Amino acid sequence: TRLVSQSLWSCAKMVEFEDQELMAEDEDYHDVDTGNESDHVAPNLPPYVKCVDEYLQFLIANRSQMTPKHISQSIWAIGRLRLADSFLIQEMGDIASRSCAAFNAREIANIVWGLSKVDYDRPEIISKLIQHVTTSSKLTEECTAQESANMLFALGKLQIRDKEAFASLSSILRNRLREATSQAVANALWAHEVVDIAPPRELLSIWAQERLGMTVLETYGE
């Protein structure tokens, strides 16, 4: 399973690289307001992607041999390649759910991001996976700004209005804002907007001050 999951991941990375080249050549391309630059996909996928379904079928048949890293890599690739086979997507989501306790923060972030990109329709599993991070002091401590933003993006993309998850992930992002990219913060703010949850004022203020160079005036008596 290691070689197959790595092959699947490699297919996705090659498509990602080719998409980046396409965007660089496309003068009319502008990042759309979906919270992630990866929403731009080449219309004609390369021929090596045709083997992806077979890779996934093999992994599902040998699920007992998959490590947390294999599962995370494979589901990230599913999202990056925008696979359309609902059966394979559901099977991989179930595998992730059953292995939830074994994942670290990075693996959870990759999994929920990947599932969100294929419009996974099991919000309870997404919430379960994210809760594994937000309820663990160890995983919360190791979670990066990018990972918290990716999880927020997944919640927004799937329109999962989980106030506790949004609060916990926003807190992680706020505490690590200096390491966050502009895209990561934009993803997080976009996700809040989609599910109609107001982002923390402190997050907006720090974003305005440190990223936009704006002076934020404190208000009182509200």
Side-chain angles (χ1 to χ4, degrees):
T1 58
R2 178 178 63 85
L3 292 177
V4 175
S5 64
Q6 287 179 348
S7 297
L8 182 61
W9 178 84
S10 296
C11 287
K13 291 300 286 185
M14 286 189 287
V15 168
E16 182 177 54
F17 176 75
E18 291 174 8
D19 284 353
Q20 289 173 348
E21 286 193 326
L22 180 64
M23 286 187 288
E25 296 173 358
D26 186 357
E27 296 181 354
D28 294 325
Y29 171 71
H30 299 283
D31 192 11
V32 293
D33 189 20
T34 59
N36 199 292
E37 68 274 18
S38 295
D39 279 331
H40 183 74
V41 178
N44 298 312
L45 291 175
Y48 55 77
V49 174
K50 295 179 181 178
C51 62
V52 165
D53 283 0
E54 294 181 10
Y55 287 164
L56 281 174
Q57 290 166 5
F58 175 85
L59 292 173
I60 290 168
N62 295 274
R63 65 185 69 193
S64 62
Q65 300 177 38
M66 295 182 73
T67 67
K69 183 178 180 180
H70 298 162
I71 298 169
S72 175
Q73 285 182 332
S74 300
I75 294 179
W76 177 86
I78 287 174
R80 189 62 192 83
L81 296 169
R82 307 294 179 81
L83 298 189
D85 189 315
S86 60
F87 173 77
L88 296 178
I89 293 168
Q90 294 296 331
E91 286 292 303
M92 291 301 294
D94 288 345
I95 291 172
S97 177
R98 287 193 290 270
S99 303
C100 181
F103 295 124
N104 59 32
R106 181 177 184 178
E107 290 162 346
I108 293 287
N110 284 339
I111 288 168
V112 299
W113 182 90
L115 292 173
S116 75
K117 301 297 279 188
V118 291
D119 296 327
Y120 185 63
D121 60 0
R122 298 282 300 279
E124 70 278 7
I125 289 181
I126 299 295
S127 292
K128 173 185 175 181
L129 290 164
I130 291 177
Q131 188 177 45
H132 175 58
V133 175
T134 59
T135 58
S136 166
S137 57
K138 178 180 181 296
L139 296 186
T140 298
E141 182 65 27
E142 74 178 35
C143 186
T144 67
Q146 184 64 55
E147 290 157 4
S148 61
N150 282 355
M151 286 186 270
L152 284 166
F153 170 81
L155 291 171
K157 181 73 165 59
L158 298 174
Q159 299 188 13
I160 300 173
R161 198 173 190 272
D162 186 332
K163 290 185 176 180
E164 291 185 4
F166 267 86
S168 297
L169 294 172
S170 294
S171 177
I172 294 171
L173 179 57
R174 186 171 64 245
N175 293 335
R176 293 161 175 71
L177 192 62
R178 290 186 182 277
E179 71 184 47
T181 65
S182 298
Q183 186 66 55
V185 177
N187 287 354
L189 296 176
W190 173 84
H192 280 83
E193 180 181 3
V194 169
V195 299
D196 194 26
I197 294 178
R201 179 176 298 181
E202 184 181 358
L203 178 60
L204 286 171
S205 297
I206 294 175
W207 167 248
Q209 289 173 323
E210 298 192 6
R211 296 297 184 183
L212 302 181
M214 296 173 60
T215 300
V216 178
L217 300 177
E218 296 289 343
T219 57
Y220 301 93
E222 292 184 354

